[in-house]
Each structure stands twice: as C-alpha cells, then as structure tokens.
Amino acid sequence: MAGTVGGRPSIFPTLLYGDAKAAIRQLTEAFGFIEASVYEGEDGTVLHAELVQGNGAVMLGSRGRGGRFDEAMKGSTHTGVYVVVDDVDTHHQRAVDHGAEILMPPTDQDYGSRDYMARDLEGNIWSFGTYAPEIQT
C-alpha cells in the first residue's frame, strides 16, 4: 500500500500562500513545524516546501507561480488542518508567544481531546489537539 513503507505519511495537506516565506516562518516558529525542504525559483518564490510535524507533513508553495496545481487552486479560499500534538498547552503558549491569532484557547472536548485553534497569516485554520484516531485498514 502506498505511503506505509518507512514511516512515510500517505496524506499531505497542500497549501498555497501569497507570501510562502512568511508562512514557513510562522509555521516553524509559532506552530513548531520542522522545515524538511524548501525549493525556490530564481525570483525567490517558493516552488515547493515540506514541513514536518510528528509523523505527518504539509506541503506548500507560493500562489501565482503557474503550473497545474496553482491554476486548479485559483480562487480557492482557506483550508483547515488538524495536527496532533502531545502537549496542547505548551504548544498553545508557543503560538501565543510568537503572535499567532488564537481563535479558541485550549479546551477540553466531550470526546476526550484537548484542542486549540489558530489562524495563520493568510487565514487558514490550524487546530492542534490530542485526538489521534487509530486508523483501521
């Protein structure tokens, strides 16, 4: 099955940003992602970047650089991504310390998770919490 060998995730949320470099800074500094790779064009636009969090990752790039994906995403608005973290309160404090816009502080949910929600610089919604469903295949 694709995506199951060597601990590689099989799903990668993919986002485009007007200022991908600023997005990378915020995602790494405020939300604790680790920069795995960044490929830039000659003009400095981010052609492709991969940021890791736990055993998952997101891919992102600059809006308006052309290509099939950029064209398909034209006119799209925002997206939401849920990320599992071990310590919601510490993660939340890091986001606050780096000026992230918090939409919901750490909150205990009826289904047993503890979550918080933030908006990135371009309006995407990031939820961070302890809920990690086991996938049965």
Side-chain angles (χ1 to χ4, degrees):
M1 177 191 265
T4 59
V5 178
R8 293 184 179 163
S10 60
I11 297 175
F12 293 85
T14 305
L15 302 98
L16 293 178
Y17 288 92
D19 187 343
K21 288 180 181 180
I24 291 168
R25 263 190 316 280
Q26 183 184 39
L27 292 172
T28 56
E29 292 173 5
F31 299 144
F33 281 82
I34 297 168
E35 189 178 297
S37 61
V38 177
Y39 302 96
E40 295 183 12
E42 290 180 15
D43 62 356
T45 59
V46 177
L47 301 175
H48 177 81
E50 298 169 7
L51 305 179
V52 176
Q53 174 76 250
N55 64 354
V58 296
M59 296 188 291
L60 64 93
S62 296
R63 228 180 244 291
R65 61 179 170 75
R68 301 286 306 229
F69 186 72
D70 188 49
E71 186 61 32
M73 294 292 288
K74 193 175 215 163
S76 67
T77 55
H78 309 298
T79 193
V81 179
Y82 182 84
V83 179
V84 177
V85 296
D86 291 328
D87 186 338
V88 171
D89 295 285
T90 298
H91 195 277
H92 169 262
Q93 190 58 54
R94 177 182 181 152
V96 168
D97 291 347
H98 284 88
E101 179 185 356
I102 304 300
L103 302 176
M104 180 184 80
T107 304
D108 293 326
Q109 305 297 333
D110 292 340
Y111 50 89
S113 184
R114 183 161 177 79
D115 303 338
Y116 83 93
M117 192 180 325
R119 185 185 330 266
D120 71 19
L121 296 172
E122 294 194 18
N124 296 299
I125 307 302
W126 293 84
S127 298
F128 299 93
T130 58
Y131 180 70
E134 188 171 332
I135 305 300
Q136 302 291 324
T137 58

